[in-house]
Amino acid sequence: LAQNFPNPFNPSTVIRFALPKGGEVDLSVYDASGRLVAHLVHGRMRGGAHALTWTPAGAASGIYFYLLRAQGVTIARKAVLLR
């Protein structure tokens, strides 16, 4: 799971990640209070490199955390939205 770019961002950012093999993937975004903001991916994906654009409609400025859960591993990164 790579750091999103750009960061800080407005209005959107790109999140990149790579999977060594295909399988179930969950990529979710949470606010600083731990509330779920968005499910970007929830399902099966092929192995290889992936890039998703997140455009948080109506979200407030602040710090958000995106978590990738795949193949028994959870990785988190921080994104900053500036309105």
Side-chain angles (χ1 to χ4, degrees), residues 1-17 27 40 50-56 66 79:
L1 179 63
Q3 184 63 53
N4 64 301
F5 183 83
N7 192 30
F9 70 96
N10 181 10
S12 64
T13 189
V14 176
I15 298 171
R16 297 180 188 279
F17 61 96
L27 179 60
L40 302 179
H50 301 275
L52 298 167
T53 299
W54 177 44
T55 305
Y66 54 101

Side-chain angles (χ1 to χ4, degrees), residues 25-42:
V25 175
D26 182 76
L27 179 60
S28 301
V29 181
Y30 298 86
D31 66 14
S33 298
R35 290 182 297 248
L36 178 66
V37 173
H39 272 302
L40 302 179
V41 175
H42 187 74

